[in-house]
Coordinates of all heavy atoms in Angstrom, one line a residue:
E689 N 57.8 -90.7 193.0 CA 58.7 -91.7 193.6 C 58.6 -91.4 195.2 O 58.7 -92.4 195.9 CB 60.1 -91.5 193.1 CG 60.9 -92.7 193.2 CD 62.2 -92.7 192.4 OE1 62.3 -91.9 191.4 OE2 63.1 -93.5 192.7
K690 N 58.5 -90.2 195.6 CA 58.4 -89.9 197.1 C 57.1 -90.2 197.7 O 56.9 -90.2 198.9 CB 58.8 -88.4 197.3 CG 60.2 -88.1 197.2 CD 60.4 -86.7 197.8 CE 61.4 -85.9 197.0 NZ 61.1 -84.5 196.9
G691 N 56.1 -90.5 196.8 CA 54.8 -90.8 197.3 C 54.1 -89.6 197.8 O 53.1 -89.6 198.5
D692 N 54.5 -88.4 197.4 CA 53.9 -87.2 198.0 C 52.9 -86.6 197.0 O 52.1 -85.7 197.4 CB 54.9 -86.1 198.3 CG 55.8 -85.8 197.2 OD1 55.8 -86.5 196.2 OD2 56.4 -84.7 197.3
R693 N 52.9 -87.0 195.8 CA 51.9 -86.5 194.7 C 51.4 -87.6 193.8 O 52.2 -88.6 193.6 CB 52.6 -85.4 193.9 CG 53.1 -84.2 194.7 CD 53.6 -83.1 193.8 NE 52.6 -82.6 192.9 CZ 52.9 -81.9 191.8 NH1 54.1 -81.6 191.5 NH2 51.9 -81.4 191.1
A694 N 50.2 -87.4 193.3 CA 49.7 -88.5 192.4 C 48.7 -87.8 191.5 O 48.1 -86.7 191.8 CB 49.1 -89.6 193.2
V695 N 48.5 -88.4 190.3 CA 47.5 -88.0 189.4 C 46.7 -89.2 189.0 O 47.2 -90.2 188.7 CB 48.1 -87.3 188.1 CG1 47.0 -86.7 187.2 CG2 49.1 -86.3 188.4
W696 N 45.4 -89.0 189.1 CA 44.4 -90.2 189.1 C 43.5 -89.9 187.9 O 42.7 -88.9 187.9 CB 43.8 -90.3 190.4 CG 42.6 -91.2 190.5 CD1 42.2 -92.2 189.6 CD2 41.8 -91.4 191.6 NE1 41.2 -92.9 190.1 CE2 40.9 -92.4 191.3 CE3 41.7 -90.7 192.8 CZ2 39.9 -92.8 192.2 CZ3 40.7 -91.1 193.7 CH2 39.8 -92.1 193.4
F697 N 43.5 -90.8 186.8 CA 42.6 -90.6 185.7 C 41.5 -91.7 185.8 O 41.9 -92.9 185.9 CB 43.4 -90.8 184.4 CG 44.4 -89.8 184.1 CD1 45.7 -90.0 184.6 CD2 44.1 -88.6 183.5 CE1 46.8 -89.0 184.4 CE2 45.1 -87.7 183.2 CZ 46.4 -87.9 183.7
S698 N 40.3 -91.4 185.6 CA 39.2 -92.4 185.5 C 38.3 -92.1 184.3 O 38.0 -90.9 184.0 CB 38.3 -92.3 186.8 OG 39.0 -92.4 187.9
Y699 N 37.9 -93.1 183.6 CA 37.2 -93.0 182.3 C 36.0 -93.9 182.4 O 36.1 -95.1 182.6 CB 38.0 -93.3 181.1 CG 39.4 -92.6 181.1 CD1 40.6 -93.4 181.1 CD2 39.5 -91.3 181.0 CE1 41.8 -92.8 181.1 CE2 40.8 -90.7 181.0 CZ 41.9 -91.5 181.0 OH 43.1 -90.8 180.9
L700 N 34.9 -93.4 181.8 CA 33.7 -94.3 181.6 C 34.0 -95.0 180.3 O 34.2 -94.4 179.3 CB 32.5 -93.5 181.5 CG 31.2 -94.3 181.4 CD1 30.9 -95.1 182.7 CD2 30.0 -93.3 181.2
V701 N 34.0 -96.4 180.3 CA 34.2 -97.1 179.0 C 33.0 -98.0 178.6 O 33.1 -98.7 177.7 CB 35.5 -98.0 179.2 CG1 36.7 -97.2 179.3 CG2 35.3 -99.0 180.4
S702 N 31.9 -97.8 179.3 CA 30.7 -98.5 178.9 C 29.5 -97.5 178.6 O 29.5 -96.5 179.2 CB 30.3 -99.4 180.0 OG 28.9 -99.9 179.7
T703 N 28.7 -97.9 177.7 CA 27.6 -97.0 177.4 C 26.3 -97.6 177.9 O 25.2 -97.1 177.6 CB 27.5 -96.7 175.8 OG1 27.6 -97.9 175.2 CG2 28.6 -95.8 175.4
R704 N 26.4 -98.7 178.7 CA 25.2 -99.4 179.2 C 24.5 -98.4 180.1 O 25.0 -97.5 180.7 CB 25.6 -100.6 179.8 CG 26.3 -101.7 179.1 CD 25.5 -102.2 177.9 NE 24.2 -102.8 178.2 CZ 24.0 -104.1 178.5 NH1 25.0 -104.9 178.4 NH2 22.8 -104.5 178.7
Y705 N 23.2 -98.7 180.3 CA 22.3 -97.9 181.2 C 22.9 -97.8 182.7 O 23.3 -98.8 183.2 CB 21.0 -98.6 181.2 CG 20.0 -97.9 182.2 CD1 19.6 -96.6 182.1 CD2 19.5 -98.6 183.3 CE1 18.8 -96.0 182.9 CE2 18.6 -98.0 184.2 CZ 18.2 -96.7 184.0 OH 17.4 -96.2 184.9
K706 N 23.1 -96.6 183.1 CA 23.6 -96.3 184.5 C 25.1 -96.8 184.6 O 25.6 -97.0 185.8 CB 22.8 -96.9 185.6 CG 21.5 -96.2 185.8 CD 20.7 -96.7 186.9 CE 21.1 -96.0 188.2 NZ 20.4 -96.5 189.4
A707 N 25.8 -97.1 183.5 CA 27.2 -97.6 183.7 C 28.0 -96.5 184.4 O 27.8 -95.3 184.1 CB 27.8 -97.8 182.3
G708 N 28.8 -96.9 185.3 CA 29.7 -96.0 186.0 C 29.0 -95.6 187.3 O 29.8 -95.2 188.3
T709 N 27.8 -95.5 187.4 CA 27.2 -95.0 188.7 C 27.0 -96.2 189.7 O 27.1 -97.4 189.3 CB 25.7 -94.4 188.4 OG1 25.0 -95.4 187.8 CG2 25.8 -93.2 187.6
D710 N 26.9 -95.9 190.9 CA 26.7 -96.9 192.0 C 27.9 -97.8 192.0 O 27.8 -99.0 192.2 CB 25.5 -97.8 191.8 CG 24.2 -96.9 191.7 OD1 24.2 -95.8 192.3 OD2 23.3 -97.3 191.0
Q711 N 29.1 -97.2 191.7 CA 30.3 -98.1 191.8 C 30.8 -98.0 193.2 O 30.8 -97.0 193.9 CB 31.4 -97.4 190.9 CG 31.1 -97.4 189.4 CD 31.4 -98.7 188.8 OE1 32.4 -99.3 189.0 NE2 30.4 -99.1 187.9
P712 N 31.5 -99.1 193.7 CA 32.2 -99.0 194.9 C 33.4 -98.0 194.8 O 33.8 -97.8 193.6 CB 32.7 -100.5 195.2 CG 32.6 -101.1 193.8 CD 31.6 -100.4 193.0
P713 N 33.8 -97.5 195.9 CA 35.0 -96.6 195.8 C 36.2 -97.3 195.1 O 36.3 -98.5 195.2 CB 35.3 -96.2 197.2 CG 34.2 -96.7 198.0 CD 33.4 -97.7 197.3

Side-chain angles (χ1 to χ4, degrees):
E689 210 167 335
K690 286 195 212 142
D692 58 342
R693 298 185 64 194
V695 187
W696 174 8
F697 297 91
S698 303
Y699 312 116
L700 185 66
V701 289
S702 168
T703 49
R704 301 296 305 270
Y705 176 62
K706 285 186 90 178
T709 54
D710 305 330
Q711 297 278 317

